[in-house]
Amino acid sequence: MGRAAELLLTLDRTGGRSLRAQLEAGLREAIRSGRLAPGDRLPSSRTMGADLGLSRGVVQECYEQLTAEGYLVARTGSGTTVSEAAWGSGTPTTVATAAGGTNGPPTMIADFPAGVPDLASAPRRDWAWAVQDVCRTAPNAAFDYGDPLGVPELRETLAAYLRRVRAVDATADQVLVCNGMAQGLSLVLQAVRPGVVACEDPGAIATARAASASSGSAVVAVPVDDLGLDVAALARTPARAVVVTPAHQWPTGVVMAPERRHALLTWAHDRDAVVLEDDYDAEFRYDREPIGTLQGLAPDRVVALGTVSKSLAPALRLGWAVLPRRLVDAVAAAKDTADRGTAAVDQLALARLIGSGRYDRHLRRVRAQYARRRTALVEALATHAPEVDVSGLAAGFHAVASLPEGTDVDVVVARARDRGVGLYSIGLNRSDRSPDPPMLVFGYGNTTVREIQVGIAAVADLLRPVG
Ligand SMILES: Cc1ncc(COP(=O)(O)O)c(C=O)c1O
């Protein structure tokens, strides 16, 4: 690492904030965001000071502070480098900032957004290894346009993997590789053109609406109860496609009961409809044996949609759809029109990651991490707000907290934000955006144990019964 300019560090000399504080904050941010990676060497305090117009002593103090915090390591003779612990589970974590306040954005002490995996655990090294391996070994033909359905190596790997871990009934020729679940959903709906698409309520309603729009279809919301989707209510709609999350309902966490699964497949058969099974966080189960996919029970009726957005990182934009054979050509045509196929180097890298066992190793590591965070959330709520009922904990990295009757959940969310804690109402996932019954969806994937403990303690009084 050469000079301060390469780190994009700038200091504001007009405001009241000390230059040392700015330098510290800038370096922390560079490490958290990955611009400075473990092992990167920082400029000497003399060079950094000269670049930024600071005394060498100020830079030294700043390096000492960040060394004490664990971001940096100082070694005699080799200068100051970014600590290895500053990546992965030991990362001093990013706490997002919220807008507002009079002196700039207040610092969030804890944020609980649902659906975000631990970004500090994104498998940077494994991904870099896989991409490098592909670039070193793939034949020239791998860099040509390819089959819009995906590269054969990944389609084979995914079919075998999903057969093994998700009891999916698939061969490679049924697998589409796409840019995440959202694209898979949209392409299948373009191929099927069902006219009306049903989705779970609460559920991923905004995603279903966006995907349906591209096929000219309308969306109807169908209620979910504690057995999963209400199939009798579904049958009263004119839908010819339905988006479901049977293994871990999004966001309630309910597992679809066997009788509902059976009824859903009967409905699909009788209606000549397609079931879009969103298997979004299947990799992370804690209490139960894995729940097999619906697709495995009816491969001619069900599309299994998967993604690496939870298992690796959303930014990779990689997912798949396992298709009934009769839909393969139409979906391939839609994918060809959309983008001619997902980036082949990324596809090959994912195949290498899975094939080498690194994908499973990564999952084992992060699963243990999420289990610790889940325990921390349950314990913090039990200690500080025992009246709150927590559910949906069997899988994934979010839970649902039912608040005492009469709680105004929107007020709770607003007050918590004033205290620097990001809470999210389940109303965001309801078709009518209703805040009642009052529930919060607690995502804990990207929230450290410490943040969970401090964050829950800071808002516990808001979660207790009023009066
Ligand atoms: C229910 C559900 N399924 C799937 C996904 C992942 O979508 P994608 O693979 O397009 O990132 C999300 C993202 O948050 C989600 O909430």
Side-chain angles (χ1 to χ4, degrees), residues 114-115 179-183 204 207 245 250 278 280 306-310 314 317-319:
N179 308 341
M181 170 272 178
Q183 191 193 38
T207 305
T245 46
W250 169 261
D278 178 4
Y280 66 103
T307 180
V308 305
S309 291
K310 315 289 176 203
R317 305 312 309 138
L318 282 169

Side-chain angles (χ1 to χ4, degrees), residues 14-392:
T14 59
R17 202 155 170 233
S18 82
L19 297 175
R20 182 187 142 177
Q22 290 185 50
L23 178 56
E24 267 179 36
L27 285 172
R28 268 191 216 100
E29 196 280 326
I31 294 169
R32 286 165 173 167
S33 68
R35 274 190 290 128
L36 273 175
D40 276 355
R41 188 200 289 252
L42 269 81
S44 71
S45 53
R46 189 189 305 276
T47 307
M48 179 77 100
D51 280 0
L52 294 171
L54 296 174
S55 77
R56 186 181 173 191
V58 166
V59 179
Q60 268 169 347
E61 280 172 24
C62 172
Y63 282 5
E64 280 162 18
Q65 175 64 32
L66 293 179
T67 302
E69 290 177 16
Y71 286 87
L72 300 178
V73 186
R75 283 204 192 87
T76 329
S78 58
T80 302
T81 54
V82 177
S83 150
E84 290 294 328
W87 236 7
S89 56
T91 310
T93 54
T94 310
V95 176
T97 53
T102 45
N103 295 318
T107 303
M108 296 285 278
I109 58 174
D111 195 14
F112 294 95
V116 185
D118 186 35
L119 301 179
S121 295
R124 297 176 188 234
R125 276 176 224 275
D126 284 345
W127 192 253
W129 166 82
V131 170
Q132 196 175 31
D133 192 51
V134 170
C135 290
R136 215 167 34 79
T137 59
N140 291 346
F143 291 83
D144 198 355
Y145 291 108
D147 185 336
L149 287 164
V151 299
E153 193 175 327
L154 179 58
R155 295 171 72 202
E156 291 282 357
T157 303
L158 282 172
Y161 188 79
L162 296 170
R163 276 197 304 266
R164 177 164 68 81
V165 300
R166 301 296 302 128
V168 161
D169 181 340
T171 50
D173 57 314
Q174 289 166 266
V175 176
L176 159 79
V177 181
C178 50
N179 308 341
M181 170 272 178
Q183 191 193 38
L185 179 60
S186 163
L187 295 174
V188 174
L189 291 177
Q190 283 172 46
V192 174
R193 301 209 156 263
V196 177
V197 180
C199 74
E200 297 168 324
D201 189 5
I205 294 174
T207 305
R209 284 193 179 130
S212 304
S214 61
S215 72
S217 302
V219 170
V220 288
V222 175
V224 168
D225 60 23
D226 52 10
L227 300 179
L229 184 83
D230 180 344
V231 180
L234 170 67
R236 290 193 290 275
T237 75
R240 284 191 47 251
V242 60
V243 188
V244 284
T245 46
H248 188 233
Q249 203 274 330
W250 169 261
T252 63
V254 165
V255 178
M256 190 182 277
E259 60 270 29
R260 290 283 173 89
R261 293 172 160 244
H262 180 72
L264 181 62
L265 296 178
T266 305
W267 167 85
H269 181 265
D270 295 348
R271 181 70 61 94
D272 190 20
V274 56
V275 176
L276 294 129
E277 177 175 26
D278 178 4
D279 208 25
Y280 66 103
D281 64 3
E283 298 82 1
F284 305 113
R285 287 210 79 83
Y286 309 106
D287 293 345
R288 306 161 172 262
E289 287 300 297
I291 311 280
T293 54
L294 272 180
Q295 191 276 353
L297 301 176
D300 57 333
R301 283 283 147 213
V302 182
V303 175
L305 297 162
T307 180
V308 305
S309 291
K310 315 289 176 203
S311 59
L312 298 176
L316 294 178
R317 305 312 309 138
L318 282 169
W320 52 86
V322 179
L323 304 162
R325 287 206 161 71
R326 72 193 138 81
L327 293 182
V328 169
D329 288 347
V331 172
K335 177 68 173 160
D336 198 23
T337 306
D339 58 17
R340 294 187 200 274
T342 291
V345 171
D346 292 351
Q347 294 191 55
L348 288 167
L350 180 58
R352 298 278 203 286
L353 215 63
I354 297 172
S356 65
R358 288 167 192 245
Y359 185 75
D360 277 339
R361 271 205 296 283
H362 172 75
L363 288 181
R364 278 199 294 277
R365 262 197 313 269
V366 284
R367 201 180 283 126
Q369 166 100 293
Y370 295 141
R372 285 192 291 275
R373 294 180 180 185
R374 171 179 174 271
T375 303
L377 178 67
V378 172
E379 287 180 355
L381 285 168
T383 306
H384 300 292
E387 301 82 359
V388 170
D389 180 40
V390 191
S391 58

